[in-house]
Amino acid sequence: MGVAQLPAYQLYNAKGKPVSFQTVLAEMGKADVFFFGELHNNPIAHWLTYELIKQHGKKHFQKLVIGMEMLETHQQAALNDYLSGKTDIETWEAEKLWSNYATDYKPIIEYAKLNQIPVIATNIPRQYARIVNKAGLDSLAALPEAEKQLFMKLPLEVPTTQSYENMKTMFHDGKDSEKQNRFVAAQAVKDATMAERILANRKEGQLFFHLNGSYHSDEKEGIIWYLQKANPKLKIVNLTTIEMETVQKPDASVCKKADFILVVPESMTKTY
């Protein structure tokens, strides 16, 4: 009697049709910007991120740029020093990095260092997002000019996209609209900063591979809304990660989230 197969993942396109890793890789290679929307603690997502970068990099590493939500703009100088060999690994890893950096993101950084691929710290420093969540967008205008260089240009438009509206319904105090608006604005400053860093660091003919939590790029909203507003001509491809009981076909409401859907079993081991 044969042993039943337990697939660790399945990829689908936006129509719900199963597709191969090679299909995703090929479509990624045609994009100006590719978004990998991960679940931060999902090992399959981390593995596929690394494999997509590595497989694309075999032929095109000179035209590849990597951006990461997990790194904040104030860390760019330290990151550049490490990637260029100016500082050692101990100095770099003394930075305040995510707790799962060693298992989930270090392989990407080391691959980039080995192949001289630029890596961009795209996210707003968290203290500024906290300021917005507490005191609103206007609070950023009072900061010194040097600090304003670390996040998106002001003033900032916060669109009434579905993802932002959904965030309001998740907020713990649904009766306080001002708190809801500040909560959404704190998300928007992250998305807008990441979009600006992508635009500022991608040259014509390059693929910018951006790694972020799926909510930042699902439905081609979030970061992508800001990107498309600034440059509607960009070819953008996004992938999102979801967990299901099995890796069988997700329903249509899930498939519309992205150009590609990575489905992983709910029972998959977590990295934290």
Side-chain angles (χ1 to χ4, degrees):
M1 181 181 294
V3 177
Q5 295 299 307
L6 291 174
Y9 76 95
Q10 178 62 57
L11 290 159
Y12 296 88
N13 64 18
K15 296 180 179 179
K17 179 182 177 181
V19 295
S20 68
F21 173 87
Q22 292 300 325
T23 296
V24 176
L25 182 65
E27 289 304 307
M28 182 182 92
K30 299 174 186 177
D32 298 317
V33 187
F34 179 83
F35 286 88
F36 195 115
E38 68 171 31
L39 300 176
H40 295 314
N41 63 356
N42 189 285
I44 297 297
H46 296 306
W47 171 62
L48 278 179
T49 298
Y50 179 71
E51 287 298 325
L52 283 168
I53 289 172
K54 185 175 69 172
Q55 295 298 326
H56 182 82
K58 285 181 178 179
K59 295 181 179 179
H60 307 291
F61 67 88
Q62 301 97 332
K63 294 184 177 181
L64 178 61
V65 183
I66 300 169
M68 301 176 71
E69 173 203 355
M70 303 79 199
L71 300 172
E72 298 172 7
T73 57
H74 71 285
Q75 297 175 308
Q76 189 67 60
L79 176 59
N80 290 346
D81 285 347
Y82 175 61
L83 293 174
S84 67
K86 186 177 179 180
T87 55
D88 59 21
I89 192 168
E90 289 78 16
T91 302
W92 164 240
E93 293 187 357
E95 287 283 316
K96 191 174 182 180
L97 303 172
W98 282 24
S99 60
N100 58 328
Y101 172 83
T103 54
D104 300 342
Y105 306 115
K106 183 175 180 176
I108 297 170
I109 297 295
E110 295 304 314
Y111 178 82
K113 186 176 190 295
L114 180 65
N115 292 282
Q116 298 182 309
I117 298 169
V119 181
I120 309 302
T122 60
N123 206 359
I124 188 172
R126 65 193 68 189
Q127 67 264 33
Y128 301 119
R130 290 195 191 109
I131 288 171
V132 172
N133 193 27
K134 182 178 180 180
L137 269 175
D138 291 344
S139 60
L140 297 181
L143 294 171
E145 287 302 317
E147 292 185 53
K148 290 179 182 177
Q149 303 308 307
L150 297 173
F151 51 80
M152 76 291 142
K153 293 180 178 64
L154 296 170
L156 177 68
E157 178 184 359
V158 180
T160 55
T161 55
Q162 191 60 53
S163 59
Y164 285 173
E165 291 301 303
N166 289 346
M167 286 183 69
K168 293 180 181 179
T169 67
M170 296 186 293
F171 192 68
H172 64 276
D173 187 356
K175 296 180 180 179
D176 191 329
S177 61
E178 285 303 315
K179 284 185 178 180
Q180 287 181 333
N181 289 338
R182 292 198 302 269
F183 184 63
V184 170
Q187 176 85 353
V189 296
K190 297 176 184 180
D191 291 336
T193 299
M194 288 189 272
E196 285 192 9
R197 287 304 188 272
I198 291 169
L199 289 169
N201 290 282
R202 179 193 170 271
K203 298 176 182 177
E204 190 65 32
Q206 289 182 324
L207 167 64
F208 198 109
F209 184 109
H210 196 262
L211 180 60
N212 52 263
S214 59
Y215 205 78
H216 289 286
S217 53
D218 278 357
E219 311 277 359
K220 294 199 173 174
E221 296 183 351
I223 306 169
I224 299 178
W225 186 91
Y226 286 103
L227 269 185
Q228 291 180 323
K229 181 186 177 187
N231 186 350
K233 294 182 180 180
L234 284 174
K235 179 174 174 52
I236 297 171
V237 176
N238 66 329
L239 177 150
T240 193
T241 306
I242 66 166
E243 293 179 339
M244 295 173 53
E245 185 176 353
T246 72
V247 299
Q248 299 304 311
K249 180 179 177 179
D251 63 38
S253 64
V254 171
C255 291
K256 71 177 185 177
K257 287 178 179 288
D259 297 305
F260 295 104
I261 316 297
L262 167 61
V263 181
V264 182
E266 292 174 347
S267 59
M268 179 60 62
T269 296
K270 304 297 188 288
T271 59
Y272 63 89

